[in-house]
Amino acid sequence: MRESADKCADVSIPAVFSWKRPGNLGVTDGRLAPCRRTPNCVSSQADPADVLHYIAPIPFNGDAAAAIAAARRAVESMQRATVIREEPGYLYAEFRSKLIGFVDDVEFAFDDKAGLLHARSSSRVGRRDYGVNRARVESLRRRIARDAGG
C-alpha cells in the first residue's frame, strides 16, 4: 500500500496542472496553429469573421529581430510569464494563472512583407477563459507599441 501512496505523493497544485506542451506550436508555412473550436484561444491569423477567435495583428515598423525583441520584452514585463523558445521571427512563451497554475501558450510570428506581428494565445486545458487570452494579447500589444515608440 505504501508503494502506491508514494507514486501519488506529488499532488501539489503545480504538479496537477503541469500538462505537456502542445505539439502543434510554432510556424508552419507562415502560419501559427489554428485555434480549437473552444472559446479559450485568440489568433490574429484566424478568419476575421470569427469574432470569437480573431484578434488584430500588431503592426510593427522594423525587421523580424526588432519585432521579436520587442515581443520578448513585453512578455518578460508581465507576471508569471516564461519565454520558452525564440527563433528568428518567432517567440513562444508560457503564462501561468496566479491561483491554480493553469498554463496558457502565447506565440508571436513576424510577417516581414506585411510588417505585422501575428499573435496567438491559447489556454492549454478547459473550455472557457473568461477573456483572459484576449486581454493578454491586448496588454502585450500596448507594451509593444510603447516599446516601439508608437
Side-chain angles (χ1 to χ4, degrees):
M1 188 66 158
R2 178 72 182 145
E3 181 180 330
S4 64
D6 288 342
K7 288 181 182 177
C8 298
D10 188 3
V11 292
S12 64
I13 288 176
V16 172
F17 294 111
S18 61
W19 299 276
K20 291 183 180 181
R21 291 184 183 119
N24 65 340
L25 300 178
V27 179
T28 303
D29 296 327
R31 299 194 58 85
L32 298 167
C35 289
R36 296 178 311 235
R37 292 183 182 197
T38 56
N40 58 358
C41 175
V42 294
S43 173
S44 61
Q45 292 181 325
D47 182 341
D50 180 356
V51 296
L52 189 63
H53 296 110
Y54 180 76
I55 193 162
I58 303 166
F60 192 88
N61 292 322
D63 62 12
I68 295 305
R72 183 181 187 111
R73 286 189 297 272
V75 166
E76 290 175 338
S77 74
M78 297 180 75
Q79 294 182 343
R80 297 176 302 283
T82 305
V83 172
I84 303 299
R85 187 168 78 228
E86 183 176 340
E87 299 170 2
Y90 176 78
L91 183 75
Y92 165 51
E94 292 176 346
F95 284 76
R96 287 195 177 265
S97 66
K98 186 175 183 177
L99 296 178
I100 299 178
F102 287 116
V103 180
D104 293 343
D105 299 294
V106 177
E107 300 177 278
F108 292 96
F110 189 66
D111 179 341
D112 277 312
K113 292 177 185 167
L116 296 173
L117 187 58
H118 285 286
R120 178 181 183 273
S121 184
S122 180
S123 300
R124 207 173 272 183
V125 297
R127 179 164 171 76
R128 300 222 178 268
D129 71 345
Y130 302 99
V132 169
N133 284 296
R134 184 172 298 279
R136 177 183 299 116
V137 172
E138 292 302 342
S139 177
L140 288 162
R141 176 192 312 279
R142 288 188 300 274
R143 291 164 194 253
I144 291 166
R146 274 196 308 263
D147 186 30

